Amino acid sequence: MRSHTCGQLRAEDEGRRVRLAGWVNRVRNLGGFCFLDLRDRYGMIQVVFEPERQELMDAAGRLHMESVILVEGVVRRRPGSMANQELATGEIELLAESCKLLSRADVLPFTLEAEDTAGEDLRLKHRYLDLRRPTKSRYLLLRHRMAQAVRRTLDGLEFLEVETPILMKSTPEGARDYLVPSRIHAGCFYALPQSPQTYKQLLMVSGFDRYFQIVKCFRDEDLRSDRQPEFTQIDIELSFGDELDVQDTAEAVMAGLFREIKGEELPLPLPRLTWREAMDRFGSDKPDLRIPLEIRELGALAASSNFGVFQQALEQGGVLRGLVFPGLAEEFSRKKIDALQDYARHLGGQGVVVVRWTAEGLSSQIGKFTGEEWLKSAVAAAGATQGDLLVLAAGEYRLVCKLLGNMRLRLAKEHGLLDASAHKLLWVTDFPMFEYDDEEQRWMAAHHPFTQPNAEQLAAGVPESDLLSRGYDLVMDGQEIAGGSVRIHEREMQARVFRMLGISDEEAQEKFGFLLEAFRYGTPPHAGCAFGFDRLVMIFGGTENIRDVIAFPKTNRAASPMDGCPGRVDARQLDELHLKIVGDKPGGDA
RNA sequence: GGACCGGUAGUUCAAUCGGUUAGAGCGCCAGCCUGUCACGCUGGAAGUUGCGAGUUCGAGUCUCGUCCGGUCCGCCA
């Protein structure tokens, strides 16, 4: 139908007779002349209609924006100074000799502009229109190129791409499952995979000693700007290797992406921090190392502070820590400090204490308890100088880390202390094996229940609360982009970890019996990891909205305004699935 | 489950202290216009102020509820 695409023609094509098809981006009808910008995925070109073909020109002048047309004509150089520098095809134009309307477009529900001018709900309802904008479609192009680069790297390293089931068994640990009722097995359900974790371990038992998959995963949890109910992982597993082999592989994947997408060499190996060190210094298990600020331990000052909150925190086994923000003292008015307090309290606990060191001296809301001398010793211990802002937090270790870690991120972003042009990657290792769940009153796997615990600690009888795992996360610019672990490959060890998690032998047998049985027949030591592919595309694409990098994303309430899912189904369908809706509320429509 | 922000013409926004007929840009419709590229000019049409109650002489504006979108907390092995 078309001989070329809209972004393809250049000055050297002058005189060529071509047929172009695409969308009418804009019509400029000057009366005696009519210009039309024709657009497709590849670019845009100006089509000109001249009065020599009056009827054709009039018809073109009446075209609606976003109608689809086929134009035949001759490429010609634009006269004199009429070239458009902003357009790749700007030196030429197409003189139309015929124009066929392939599909007339109604008036659009919103106008297609470079910026996100229309509301997101409207753009999601008409996602296919939103994706016509090059500023949006470029994310999908990038995603494609990244997926291909990953495949090339892993294929080159002899990793085999194997597909695993989408309909699987529901598992107790982890996120809430999406369930699929079975028609054939009354009262039984499949679950959609939260990840192909057990399958890839079984593939190791099968002897596919290097596996990968770019695969959809599903978790029925509440959404965020970087979380969707269905998302994509680059899933990797290898046999006869340990954490270093997996990390080498993941680094090769990242190096390939940097080379192919950014044209840069990623310096390897990447730096490593233990979980404890990351928490201590940056208040986060996914520290953003683009911010040159570190948390300071100030516990020794608590007793002399004369401030109850600090004193009690230390007495109860907590910590007192501070973070210095260079040069921000003058910028922090009363109002800004209040806003900071609100944010801190929003995160939990009693909030933070702010000490300002301005030209007038030291000031703080706790100055009346501590006195000036104590404030002086605090800023000295924290390494502040005049003009700096010191933020203090006291209490339980993880809460203090969370508070100061969040302050670090927020203030650095707001005040330009973050170099957004750079990328900082690192491995975080030695995660805690378990975390105590107050709600369920039991220990939960911090990573997942197939992660190997630290062998020496286990042999030495270290309590659950202090036990470290052989898990690791890859962090880029403050985001966890991959996580993995050395897996348990011995049945006895796996059973022991299940028991530590409060999973009875019977339940383990019922839920994971197939895996435990597989381990009986010769299991290679294995390890692996999984990248959050959507987040990776977000970082490379420079967006903070995960919906940008997914062709058809869901809203905050896990719905699609475009096709109206989730929707109701016929009574007949329910009958077949042996389901009955109870407590039915109107709202979702079929 | 909780906190906060938003919802006014097709669309993006405005509307003073609660007060006349709810305005403007873009788009749309009609007309004019021979080098535009966000073309320009003239005129016109276009509104259940998300929905439902309440307060009031009077509600886009205040109150309550509800729905939708977004950001965050909880949650996300």
Side-chain angles (χ1 to χ4, degrees), chain A residues 240-525:
Chain A
F240 310 117
D242 57 17
E243 39 276 85
L244 287 177
D245 297 286
V246 175
Q247 288 164 6
D248 282 349
T249 305
E251 287 182 358
V253 167
M254 290 309 297
L257 286 172
F258 268 79
R259 204 172 299 128
E260 290 202 33
I261 305 299
K262 294 186 167 294
E264 292 171 20
E265 281 304 309
L266 179 68
L268 296 178
L270 298 174
R272 282 159 170 79
L273 282 179
T274 65
W275 176 85
R276 183 76 197 195
E277 202 180 348
M279 294 296 282
D280 281 345
R281 291 169 60 190
F282 307 105
S284 170
D285 60 1
K286 44 178 183 176
D288 193 333
L289 298 187
R290 295 174 302 174
I291 305 168
L293 304 177
E294 293 195 23
I295 294 168
R296 294 296 172 86
E297 167 62 48
L298 300 172
L301 295 171
S304 63
S305 68
N306 197 30
F307 181 53
V309 175
F310 288 178
Q311 291 167 332
Q312 282 156 28
L314 268 286
E315 282 159 19
Q316 289 163 7
V319 295
L320 168 61
R321 291 186 179 182
L323 186 54
V324 174
F325 295 92
L328 292 190
E330 300 289 350
E331 286 191 49
F332 267 74
S333 59
R334 181 60 196 260
K335 199 173 171 185
K336 269 188 127 170
I337 291 174
D338 284 348
L340 202 66
Q341 295 288 6
D342 286 347
Y343 178 60
R345 274 191 285 269
H346 183 63
L347 294 169
Q350 291 166 300
V352 292
V353 167
V354 177
V355 182
R356 296 167 67 224
W357 191 353
T358 65
E360 286 88 63
L362 289 162
S363 63
S364 170
Q365 75 261 44
I366 60 163
K368 58 179 180 283
F369 302 108
T370 65
E372 174 125 14
E373 283 307 308
W374 189 88
L375 293 180
K376 270 185 192 164
S377 56
V379 292
T385 54
Q386 187 177 323
D388 295 352
L389 188 77
L390 172 63
V391 178
L392 300 168
E396 188 260 324
Y397 175 71
R398 291 209 186 194
L399 178 67
V400 170
C401 289
K402 179 175 160 186
L403 282 170
L404 292 178
N406 274 286
M407 293 291 147
R408 180 174 174 274
L409 275 179
R410 182 185 160 115
L411 292 184
K413 278 183 187 165
E414 281 176 4
H415 295 90
L417 300 172
L418 184 154
D419 179 8
S421 66
H423 292 295
K424 293 281 189 182
L425 289 91
L426 76 151
W427 288 102
V428 177
T429 64
D430 299 273
F431 278 80
M433 182 75 189
F434 303 109
E435 278 168 1
Y436 195 74
D437 187 302
D438 295 323
E439 215 168 288
E440 294 213 13
Q441 302 264 298
R442 70 175 182 93
W443 291 96
M444 307 279 278
H447 183 56
H448 58 55
F450 314 111
T451 302
Q452 247 186 54
N454 182 299
E456 293 107 63
Q457 283 187 323
L458 204 61
V462 166
E464 269 107 338
S465 56
D466 295 339
L467 198 58
L468 298 177
S469 80
R470 293 180 73 181
Y472 37 83
D473 279 359
L474 179 56
V475 176
M476 178 172 181
D477 301 345
Q479 299 219 52
E480 181 200 324
I481 56 169
S485 63
V486 176
R487 324 296 184 191
I488 298 165
H489 67 281
E490 292 159 313
R491 209 161 143 252
E492 297 72 27
M493 175 66 78
Q494 186 65 71
R496 187 170 167 191
V497 168
F498 280 148
R499 278 195 297 274
M500 287 175 169
L501 290 168
I503 299 173
S504 67
D505 288 350
E506 293 73 36
E507 194 185 353
Q509 202 54 45
E510 149 68 16
K511 302 293 185 184
F512 299 112
F514 62 103
L515 186 68
L516 294 173
E517 190 186 357
F519 284 175
R520 288 164 57 183
Y521 305 121
T523 305

Side-chain angles (χ1 to χ4, degrees), chain A residues 160-168 191-204 208 211-218 233 235 237:
Chain A
L160 200 67
E161 186 163 14
V162 181
E163 291 171 272
T164 53
I166 289 295
L167 296 175
M168 64 177 285
L192 305 183
Q194 298 174 26
S195 82
Q197 182 62 37
T198 48
Y199 292 114
K200 67 176 174 177
Q201 291 192 247
L202 291 166
L203 286 171
M204 294 303 109
F208 297 98
Y211 143 95
F212 86 99
Q213 187 179 189
I214 298 181
V215 61
K216 273 285 180 78
C217 302
F218 306 85
Q233 283 189 346
D235 197 39
E237 196 79 8

Side-chain angles (χ1 to χ4, degrees), chain A residues 24-257:
Chain A
V24 176
N25 197 69
R26 196 169 268 278
V27 179
R28 292 179 294 280
N29 186 357
L30 274 65
F33 255 115
C34 183
F35 298 99
L36 180 157
D37 293 332
L38 191 65
R39 186 201 71 237
D40 64 14
R41 184 187 132 189
Y42 306 93
M44 193 145 74
I45 186 170
Q46 174 165 281
V47 182
V48 59
F49 296 85
E50 290 193 332
E52 282 72 31
R53 291 183 176 80
Q54 186 72 45
E55 261 180 56
L56 186 64
M57 192 182 78
D58 291 347
R62 285 192 299 271
L63 282 170
H64 274 198
M65 283 196 291
E66 297 304 314
S67 287
V68 178
I69 61 171
L70 176 68
V71 186
E72 182 163 3
V74 175
V75 178
R76 73 176 187 195
R77 201 177 278 270
R78 294 201 194 183
S81 57
M82 299 305 160
N84 184 344
Q85 308 294 333
E86 319 241 304
L87 217 56
T89 61
E91 282 188 36
I92 52 151
E93 62 192 1
L94 179 64
L95 176 62
E97 294 179 354
S98 76
C99 176
K100 187 178 178 195
L101 179 63
L102 299 177
S103 171
R104 180 184 183 280
D106 282 351
V107 176
L108 263 54
F110 59 95
T111 39
L112 307 184
E113 294 172 56
E115 305 80 40
D116 289 348
T117 46
E120 187 158 15
D121 43 349
L122 200 64
R123 289 187 289 113
L124 283 177
K125 182 166 183 188
H126 304 277
R127 181 67 175 167
Y128 42 86
L129 295 180
D130 205 24
L131 289 176
R132 281 187 194 166
R133 301 185 299 143
T135 43
K136 285 291 165 193
S137 60
R138 74 176 186 91
Y139 292 116
L140 296 189
L141 261 60
L142 172 68
R143 188 179 176 116
H144 163 79
R145 289 174 56 220
M146 289 178 69
Q148 300 316 313
V150 168
R151 285 208 166 88
R152 268 191 293 277
T153 299
L154 291 171
D155 181 55
L157 293 170
E158 304 280 336
F159 282 81
L160 200 67
E161 186 163 14
V162 181
E163 291 171 272
T164 53
I166 289 295
L167 296 175
M168 64 177 285
K169 191 179 171 70
S170 179
T171 51
E173 293 281 301
R176 194 176 294 114
D177 281 325
Y178 274 100
L179 296 177
V180 179
S182 165
R183 172 180 59 86
I184 296 167
H185 305 275
C188 293
F189 294 82
Y190 303 95
L192 305 183
Q194 298 174 26
S195 82
Q197 182 62 37
T198 48
Y199 292 114
K200 67 176 174 177
Q201 291 192 247
L202 291 166
L203 286 171
M204 294 303 109
V205 178
S206 297
F208 297 98
D209 59 7
R210 296 184 150 219
Y211 143 95
F212 86 99
Q213 187 179 189
I214 298 181
V215 61
K216 273 285 180 78
C217 302
F218 306 85
R219 292 177 192 176
D220 187 5
E221 296 292 345
D222 287 346
L223 277 50
R224 286 288 188 281
S225 62
D226 63 350
R227 259 169 29 197
Q228 283 272 304
E230 49 179 310
F231 60 99
T232 303
Q233 283 189 346
I234 305 166
D235 197 39
I236 297 173
E237 196 79 8
L238 57 82
S239 293
F240 310 117
D242 57 17
E243 39 276 85
L244 287 177
D245 297 286
V246 175
Q247 288 164 6
D248 282 349
T249 305
E251 287 182 358
V253 167
M254 290 309 297
L257 286 172

